[in-house]
Amino acid sequence: MTKIPEANVIHSRLRLRQLRLMLALQEFGSLRRAADNIGMTQPAATKMLHEAEDLLGVELFERLPRGMRPTPFGETVIYYARMVFAELSGMREELVALESGNLGRVAVGAIPALASGLLTRTIANLKQSHPRLSMSIQVDTSDVLVQALLQDQLDVVLGRIPGGARAEELLFDSLGEEELCVIAGAKNPLVQAKDLSWSALQNETWVLQQHPSPMRAIVNQVFHNARVDIPNSIVETTSIMTLLSLVQQTDMLGITPVSVVEDYAGRDLLAVLPISFEARLPPYGLITRRHRIQSSAMQAFISSVKAEQGDA
């Protein structure tokens, strides 16, 4: 059995051009087209692939009658090759930013419940202390955001680690927990009730997050525990503002963290219904990739979030 070489051997002998070839092979499935893509002859590409396989001691690509496909070893190398080039792109962006006097850029993902409160306050403070810090914001459910993080589309996520995520590749820094509540418009007749049960609300129209978000999983579990079928009439949205507007202007019901209601400017137009909600969402926090080096921009954002949460 061939032994995988020590890390220091890989560090000193594996070349970036070999990694570029792996990515091109995975994309095109053909040695000729991959070689053309990175500006090499096919014989040179063949030699380079053999050298990489000899160095690592494993077969990286399976030779098929028509083309090539990565082996499980190859898939692993391709995954880390993408990470390497993403880090190099990040390095280049940060160098350009520093050259122009900026702190750099950070791509942030946030779940809707945190976007209007914690994230907004963090951005406001950051732009005062670091006016030339560039930020891009994506608001979505945790499952979508964590997948984007793992694909290097985001630098940091304010959210939760969803079930089924590759948790071993993530770092989670908990910031707190949120209590959930059922909300209705202030004029909804249900607001006058002294006590309500889940069965009494089963036939109402609900505004809920899409499956498989952590909040939707909790809601489904609550109905299941109450031995009540999931409501048939559901409007699905990831937008907190859409949820609040629908609940406020119709007889629809919604489920949201208590903090969202408290932060909402039109909270007088909403009411929290008198129904027991013992289930809680998993803790929310800062999620980053385990092996990713944090840029100056990332560090500034993370420090600001923690400071803002500490002051809340």
Side-chain angles (χ1 to χ4, degrees), residues 13-251:
R13 294 182 55 194
L14 190 65
R15 292 174 285 158
L16 287 178
R17 200 159 170 80
Q18 289 172 319
L19 295 181
R20 282 190 63 202
L21 176 61
M22 308 298 169
L23 294 178
L25 275 171
Q26 196 270 340
E27 180 179 357
F28 296 105
S30 158
L31 196 56
R32 178 184 60 79
R33 293 177 64 195
D36 288 344
N37 179 258
I38 64 172
M40 297 180 69
T41 65
Q42 184 170 336
T46 301
K47 180 182 178 184
M48 183 177 287
L49 176 60
H50 283 310
E51 288 173 347
E53 290 179 323
D54 288 343
L55 167 62
L56 298 174
V58 291
E59 185 180 52
L60 300 175
F61 283 84
E62 185 180 357
R63 282 68 169 172
L64 303 172
R66 291 189 175 184
M68 307 176 75
R69 70 180 174 203
T71 65
F73 296 108
E75 293 282 4
T76 299
V77 171
I78 288 164
Y79 171 75
Y80 282 98
R82 287 200 187 99
M83 289 174 58
V84 167
F85 285 109
E87 297 289 3
L88 289 174
S89 297
M91 179 188 72
R92 191 260 175 193
E93 285 184 13
E94 191 164 352
L95 289 173
V96 170
L98 291 170
E99 184 183 41
S100 62
N102 295 340
L103 180 62
R105 178 180 181 276
V106 60
V108 178
I111 57 176
L114 299 178
S116 59
L118 177 59
L119 179 63
T120 299
R121 297 192 301 270
T122 298
I123 293 172
N125 289 336
L126 261 179
K127 293 307 286 184
Q128 285 188 334
S129 59
H130 300 86
R132 302 190 74 177
L133 171 64
S134 176
M135 287 181 281
S136 67
I137 310 298
Q138 178 181 340
V139 179
D140 216 316
T141 54
S142 290
D143 53 304
V144 173
L145 296 176
V146 168
Q147 187 61 32
L149 178 70
L150 289 169
Q151 293 174 352
D152 293 311
Q153 296 165 4
L154 294 172
D155 297 314
V156 57
V157 167
L158 262 175
R160 301 176 178 85
I161 296 184
R166 300 198 298 267
E168 71 280 0
E169 298 177 31
L170 302 169
L171 288 175
F172 179 72
D173 192 347
S174 179
L175 294 174
E177 294 184 351
E178 291 179 304
E179 183 181 351
L180 296 174
C181 62
V182 179
I183 59 171
K187 296 181 180 179
N188 191 311
L190 291 169
V191 173
Q192 305 303 322
K194 300 291 187 202
D195 189 33
L196 289 169
S197 66
W198 292 101
S199 58
L201 303 180
Q202 196 267 341
N203 291 323
E204 302 294 324
T205 298
W206 290 79
V207 186
L208 301 174
Q209 284 196 351
Q210 288 133 322
H211 189 75
S213 69
M215 186 177 291
R216 182 59 180 275
I218 287 286
V219 172
N220 289 356
Q221 189 63 44
V222 166
F223 277 101
H224 176 77
N225 291 347
R227 293 179 170 79
V228 177
D229 289 340
I230 304 298
N232 291 320
S233 182
I234 294 176
V235 176
E236 293 185 328
T237 180
T238 59
S239 168
I240 285 289
M241 294 310 299
T242 299
L243 182 154
L244 295 174
S245 296
L246 283 171
V247 168
Q248 179 181 309
Q249 298 176 37
T250 71
D251 283 340

